[in-house]
Every structure is written in structure tokens, then in C-alpha cells.
């Protein structure tokens, strides 16, 4: 009987020690999970701040580019109106001077000069169009970079969420193991 009582006392001491060890492990895992949660929250907040800064910067840049394009369009429309008015004036002059050959030759020379001017204006407009196209490509590149940054932030958030889920599963598993051990001991 004393042997049985001694074995029972040893078993209870071992059970108590096992219970203390398991509680310590659970407490450590809870602290680790809490640290991961805090760290994840800081990372998420930093990513959100960064995303807001990037969005603000690109919205400002897009607004600036849009205003520049609107100004360029207004200038081009003004140049087109001027060209249309000049063209109408040339037509009036041609009608008025049809009977006179010398004046017609002079008008023809003027028309040639006007055409050269228009070609020069067209060349300038074409260069401006190419420059605007390049600026548009640059804006698209900036937008794509912002999109990549956003996707990277989403990936980091997803990885953090997966890690948090894994830690939660570990805690649940340890809790279930503890309950099973307690049930086995009882």
C-alpha cells in the first residue's frame, strides 16, 4: 500500500510538473502570438501610410500632367483657329485677285510661304505630340510602379495573415493536446 501511495504521489508530482510545463509553454506561445499580432499591426499601419503617400503623390502628379495637357490642348486649338482664319483670308484674297495674273502669282508665292509656315507649325505640333506621348508613357510607368508597390504590400499583408493563422492553429493544437493530456490523467 505504501508503494502504491508513493507511486501515486510520484505520478501526481509528475502530472503537476507536466501541467506547469504545459502552462508555461502555452503562456510563451500566447506571448509569441501577441508579439506577432503587434508586429503585424505595425507593419500593416506602415504599409497603409506608405500606400496613402504613394496614392497622394501620384494623384498630384496626374493632376499636374492633366493640367499641362489641358493647357497644351488649348494652345493647339488656338493655333488651329489662327490657321483656319489665315486659310479663310487666303481664300478671300484668291477670289478677289483671280483676274490679275501678276497678283495671282504673288498670292501663289504667299500661299507657298503660308504652307511652309503651316508645315513648320505641323512639325512643331508633331514634336509636341511626340513629347506629350512620352510624358504619357512616363505617367503610365509611374502608375505601373505604384501598382507594383500596392501588390507587394498586399502580398506582405497576405503572408503576415497566413503566419498569424499558423500560430493560431499551433495554439489551438497545444490547447487541445493539454485538454487531452488532462483528460488522460483524470
Amino acid at each position: 500500500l505504501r508503494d502504491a501511495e508513493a507511486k501515486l504521489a510520484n505520478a501526481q508530482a509528475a502530472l503537476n510538473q507536466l501541467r506547469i510545463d504545459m502552462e508555461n509553454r502555452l503562456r510563451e506561445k500566447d506571448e509569441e502570438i501577441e508579439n506577432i499580432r503587434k508586429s503585424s499591426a505595425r507593419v500593416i499601419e506602415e504599409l497603409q501610410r506608405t500606400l496613402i503617400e504613394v496614392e497622394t503623390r501620384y494623384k498630384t502628379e496626374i493632376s499636374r500632367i492633366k493640367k499641362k495637357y489641358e493647357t497644351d490642348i488649348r494652345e493647339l486649338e488656338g493655333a488651329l483657329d489662327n490657321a483656319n482664319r489665315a486659310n479663310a483670308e487666303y481664300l478671300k484674297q484668291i477670289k478677289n485677285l483671280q483676274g490679275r495674273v501678276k497678283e495671282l502669282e504673288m498670292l501663289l508665292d504667299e500661299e507657298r510661304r503660308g504652307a511652309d509656315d503651316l508645315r513648320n507649325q505641323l512639325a512643331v505640333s508633331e514634336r509636341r505630340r511626340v513629347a506629350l506621348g512620352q510624358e504619357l508613357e512616363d505617367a503610365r510607368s509611374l502608375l505601373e510602379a505604384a501598382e507594383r508597390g500596392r501588390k507587394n504590400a498586399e502580398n506582405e499583408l497576405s503572408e503576415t495573415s497566413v503566419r498569424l493563422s499558423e500560430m493560431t492553429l499551433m495554439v489551438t493544437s497545444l490547447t487541445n493536446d493539454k485538454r487531452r493530456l488532462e483528460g488522460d490523467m483524470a
Side-chain angles (χ1 to χ4, degrees), residues 2 5 28 33 60-61 68 107 111 120 160 169-170:
R2 283 186 186 151
E5 287 176 352
E28 289 172 2
I33 287 172
T60 302
E61 182 66 17
K68 185 179 184 322
L107 281 177
E111 281 296 317
N120 289 336
T160 302
L169 287 174
M170 287 175 76

Side-chain angles (χ1 to χ4, degrees), residues 65 84 89 92 143 146:
I65 290 171
N84 286 338
E89 185 63 32
K92 285 179 186 177
L143 183 60

Side-chain angles (χ1 to χ4, degrees), residues 38-56:
K38 288 178 182 177
S39 174
S40 297
R42 283 192 301 271
V43 167
I44 289 169
E45 288 174 9
E46 184 61 32
L47 289 173
Q48 287 174 339
R49 277 194 300 273
T50 302
L51 185 59
I52 289 170
E53 288 173 7
V54 168
E55 284 178 1
T56 302

